[in-house]
Amino acid sequence: MMPLIYQILTEAGCADSVPVREAVEEACYNQTSFVEAVLDCEGVRERDFLMALAHTLSLPWWEGNGEVPGEPGLRRHLPAEIALRHRLLPVAFEERPEVDGKMRGVLHLTTFDPLNLVTHQRVASSLNHAVVWHVGQRTRIVEGLQKLYGLGADTFEKILRGRADWGAEEVGDEITVLDEPEDEEASVVRFVNQIIRRGLEQRATDIHVEPQQDRLRIRYRIDGRLEELPVPENIKSLQSSVIARLKIMARLDIAEKRLPQDGRINLELDGLPIDVRVATIPSVEGESISLRLLSQQAMTIGRLGLTESMKPLVLDLLKQPNGIVLITGPTGSGKSTTLYAFLSEMNQTHRRIVTIEDPVEYKMPGMVQIAVKPEIGLTFATGLRSILRGDPNVVMVGEMRDLETTEIAIRAALTGHLVFSTLHTNDAIGGVTRLVDMGVEPFLVSSAVRAFFAQRLVRKLCPLCKAPAQVEREYLRSIGFPLTVPGQVMRAVGCEGCRGSGYQGRLSIYEVVQMTGALQHLINIRAHPAEFYKQALNDGYVPMRGYGFQKVLAGETTIEEVLSVTAMEREPDAVPVAGRGNTQLLREAA
């Protein structure tokens, strides 16, 4: 065996590697897989080594390219338990004539370890048809198994092995996971844990478990986009058990299926605490459950990715003794994350910080955090009144939803408190109009507010596969892109590290309107919103699209991402000739 092993290592170009030789010797001594030992060594190119192995053994090579074999019934030819335990991917099935004229099935199986005799014996004893072996990359095989069989297929196969009927009647009769046999309950628990763990590993922010007419759909929201999780084809028959398990984890009433419920799950992954918010919605096909995954990792200013020009402005606002700082944007735009980063920066011994939220998303030591409970009369307004009697320095109000809450917050700002809150508007300038429309007197807005932030989230380019983009100059000019500013426009490519999307993670883009004397005057005289925009540009306001283009030139995101979340800047007649704001500079550059 050893001469064959070294022949393969030589052909793969890693025979001279000391770590590889040591790993092979240890594997041979312990009678474990030398192929896995080599693949686990740092610096070994998986594809080159496995192709050399296939060539030496005269076995066909399966490229894969992350594609799932297309034959619908392919998974039925190899039990999920065997496929997933031994990491064998069926890629084709055909009928071949034998000598006596009878047809015999032939299954094409891909493995990354063709020298594993235990695997060969298990397949031979379990299958009634012939096998043709192929060699493929381990990463491609694992990816293909996930897509072909679905998450947790091996455990569900054990549960369903004794069931003769997977019809709709059984779904309707099944009440809760507690009514199932012990082994089934344990398997459902394991499957639910796999769903959550996989979501955390893939950086999902939300997990949606959605009953459909003929299946149970599970989707992850990753970097703002929903992606469906492959699941076993017969999972519909265990829909009630899966949903009941999630409700038990969230301490919800498993017997109540007619009304929405809310709960929380506290988890830990690799020592990092994870807070999961759970919400159930009754639907015609069964209860739909949404899980919001909230990492309790500390929020800091550094993690916001502020530009060098933006960071001093933010730090200066955080040093203000009083006033209101409002962050605007739609749901899911990262407003809460930014607020917590601000509070984390100010969270010091000499400051008393009190928050009132609905709900409390991140638990931060050193601060007093209050959760709104309208059913007992604890609203934003009543809670805020109590907070102000408790001698706070900094107050954070989760959202300004009504005039009463807003007026109390403004009075708090005028009496020496620094207040942070959120507002639902499309841009920073719109914050002024929104407050006035709510019924706040303009002179109170101009006196209390220090700045309006607006923000959106865009996907970050994958650092492993991003590449320079060739973009038509005329197109750049038409969108107001700064043609004379140095930098390189990049494009998304896609690789294994980013699941082929070309993006990995998200970043915030901002626009900030600071309250200046000139802007205060315009608010007090109830000027038209276009006048606010003109004055903000004169005061140095950079529109969100311009800020996003800075991130594009820094190679952090793409033009398409910025355009997808920002509006075109206002018409030229809204921009003053005397101003030197970002819009005019972009036009001059064009």
Side-chain angles (χ1 to χ4, degrees):
M1 176 66 74
M2 289 300 288
L4 175 63
I5 292 173
Y6 285 116
Q7 177 185 345
I8 296 169
L9 295 176
T10 301
E11 186 170 342
C14 53
D16 297 331
S17 171
V18 175
V20 170
R21 295 176 72 92
E22 291 178 349
V24 169
E25 291 172 2
E26 183 177 353
C28 292
Y29 178 78
N30 296 326
Q31 296 184 347
T32 56
S33 170
F34 100 89
V35 175
E36 291 219 53
V38 173
L39 291 177
D40 291 337
C41 287
E42 188 175 349
V44 173
R45 292 189 293 272
E46 178 186 3
R47 190 173 187 275
D48 293 346
F49 170 70
L50 291 176
M51 286 190 74
L53 178 62
H55 180 263
T56 303
L57 300 177
S58 300
L59 292 175
W61 174 256
W62 181 74
E63 188 64 44
N65 293 323
E67 297 178 359
V68 182
E71 187 179 337
L74 197 56
R75 71 182 103 188
R76 296 192 178 93
H77 297 298
L78 183 69
E81 185 178 359
I82 297 176
L84 297 175
R85 175 171 296 181
H86 299 281
R87 284 172 286 185
L88 305 175
L89 180 65
V91 293
F93 183 81
E94 59 181 333
E95 298 279 350
R96 289 182 181 178
E98 293 187 327
V99 178
D100 57 2
K102 294 182 179 179
M103 302 298 290
R104 186 184 183 190
V106 178
L107 180 64
H108 293 256
L109 284 181
T110 300
T111 178
F112 66 88
D113 190 1
L115 299 177
N116 193 320
L117 297 180
V118 175
T119 299
H120 284 268
Q121 292 171 356
R122 181 68 190 277
V123 170
S125 63
S126 303
L127 304 185
N128 295 323
H129 34 253
V131 173
V132 175
W133 291 96
H134 298 251
V135 178
Q137 288 181 249
R138 179 170 61 176
T139 51
R140 301 254 190 238
I141 291 173
V142 171
E143 182 181 340
L145 286 170
Q146 172 69 50
K147 294 180 179 178
L148 184 62
Y149 287 94
L151 183 70
D154 52 341
T155 60
F156 270 90
E157 196 171 77
K158 294 176 184 177
I159 297 175
L160 299 172
R161 190 172 290 146
R163 295 188 172 192
D165 218 358
W166 292 336
E169 298 130 41
E170 184 164 349
V171 177
D173 294 336
E174 190 173 338
I175 303 301
T176 72
V177 69
L178 299 178
D179 295 329
E180 303 295 341
E182 180 64 24
D183 59 335
E184 180 164 331
E185 179 180 350
S187 296
V188 170
V189 169
R190 185 161 53 251
F191 175 70
V192 170
N193 290 343
Q194 285 178 319
I195 292 174
I196 298 175
R197 184 177 183 88
R198 178 61 60 87
L200 292 169
E201 289 173 348
Q202 296 193 2
R203 299 174 293 101
T205 56
D206 299 87
I207 302 175
H208 299 287
V209 181
E210 304 164 322
Q212 307 290 303
Q213 184 175 5
D214 57 348
R215 64 192 179 108
L216 180 65
R217 182 170 68 175
I218 299 176
R219 295 191 290 176
Y220 293 152
R221 187 175 294 280
I222 302 174
D223 297 337
R225 305 293 178 97
L226 284 172
E227 297 182 11
E228 188 164 349
L229 174 69
V231 294
E233 58 182 352
N234 297 314
I235 191 178
K236 179 68 175 178
S237 62
L238 296 164
Q239 169 181 307
S240 297
S241 295
V242 172
I243 292 173
R245 173 57 189 167
L246 286 168
K247 292 173 72 173
I248 289 171
M249 293 176 69
R251 296 179 175 84
L252 301 178
D253 183 359
I254 60 175
E256 179 56 74
K257 300 181 179 182
R258 300 166 301 169
L259 297 173
Q261 297 185 70
D262 295 308
R264 301 180 87 100
I265 303 173
N266 294 317
L267 302 174
E268 186 175 294
L269 177 65
D270 300 330
L272 181 66
I274 307 293
D275 190 24
V276 183
R277 280 169 43 194
V278 182
T280 71
I281 304 173
S283 71
V284 293
E285 301 295 343
E287 286 183 285
S288 175
I289 297 187
S290 296
L291 289 79
R292 169 67 57 87
L293 308 178
L294 300 168
S295 170
Q296 296 302 307
Q297 188 174 355
M299 302 293 167
T300 62
I301 292 290
R303 291 181 60 196
L304 296 180
L306 299 173
T307 60
E308 291 302 317
S309 59
M310 178 76 77
K311 192 171 182 179
L313 187 154
V314 171
L315 294 177
D316 182 61
L317 286 172
L318 301 185
K319 294 175 183 176
Q320 296 295 318
N322 54 59
I324 297 179
V325 176
L326 287 170
I327 300 181
T328 73
T331 301
S333 60
K335 299 188 298 296
S336 296
T337 300
T338 299
L339 275 180
Y340 279 108
F342 290 173
L343 296 179
S344 177
E345 183 73 19
M346 295 186 295
N347 191 10
Q348 299 173 13
T349 306
H350 64 275
R351 284 196 185 98
R352 175 173 165 82
I353 302 176
V354 185
T355 74
I356 180 164
E357 310 165 60
D358 183 22
V360 175
E361 294 190 357
Y362 299 96
K363 297 177 183 177
M364 302 188 70
M367 299 191 310
V368 178
Q369 296 177 273
I370 303 170
V372 168
K373 296 179 181 178
E375 64 273 13
I376 61 173
L378 180 55
T379 62
F380 277 114
T382 56
L384 188 52
R385 286 194 186 95
S386 299
I387 289 172
L388 297 180
R389 292 194 291 268
D391 187 35
N393 299 107
V394 179
V395 178
M396 192 270 270
V397 183
E399 182 183 346
M400 291 198 176
R401 296 179 177 175
D402 53 69
L403 178 59
E404 184 181 11
T405 303
T406 305
E407 287 183 334
I408 297 172
I410 287 176
R411 285 201 298 270
L414 295 175
T415 54
H417 302 88
L418 185 57
V419 181
F420 293 87
S421 188
T422 65
L423 201 63
H424 287 282
T425 66
N426 291 326
D427 55 20
I429 295 291
V432 177
T433 308
R434 173 71 175 136
L435 290 178
V436 174
D437 287 345
M438 288 173 66
V440 181
E441 290 294 333
F443 75 90
L444 291 177
V445 176
S446 62
S447 302
V449 177
R450 294 286 176 265
F452 292 96
F453 277 76
Q455 74 174 76
R456 298 290 189 277
L457 293 176
V458 294
R459 292 184 294 173
K460 291 173 61 177
L461 280 166
C462 174
L464 302 177
C465 63
K466 64 180 180 181
Q470 300 297 324
V471 187
E472 292 290 336
R473 192 176 181 85
E474 187 59 36
Y475 171 70
L476 294 177
R477 182 179 287 109
S478 68
I479 61 175
F481 195 84
L483 299 175
T484 59
V485 178
Q488 174 65 60
V489 177
M490 308 296 285
R491 62 183 176 89
V493 178
C495 65
E496 293 181 4
C498 59
R499 308 178 312 282
S501 68
Y503 298 93
Q504 197 171 65
R506 289 191 291 178
L507 59 87
S508 298
I509 59 175
Y510 302 91
E511 63 181 21
V512 183
V513 173
Q514 288 183 281
M515 191 64 67
T516 61
L519 189 56
Q520 285 179 319
H521 173 70
L522 292 176
I523 295 173
N524 289 336
I525 65 173
R526 298 179 182 267
H528 191 276
E531 294 297 320
F532 301 156
Y533 183 79
K534 292 180 183 180
Q535 186 57 53
L537 287 170
N538 284 335
D539 294 334
Y541 157 70
V542 178
M544 191 181 297
R545 180 169 288 194
Y547 186 97
F549 287 156
Q550 294 178 31
K551 292 295 185 179
V552 171
L553 290 169
E556 297 182 47
T557 189
T558 61
I559 292 176
E560 293 76 18
E561 280 294 301
V562 174
L563 297 183
S564 69
V565 298
T566 62
M568 190 65 182
E569 293 178 34
R570 307 194 183 202
E571 294 300 320
D573 58 5
V575 182
V577 176
R580 294 291 297 175
N582 186 70
T583 305
Q584 184 176 343
L585 292 177
L586 292 183
R587 291 197 180 90
E588 291 175 358

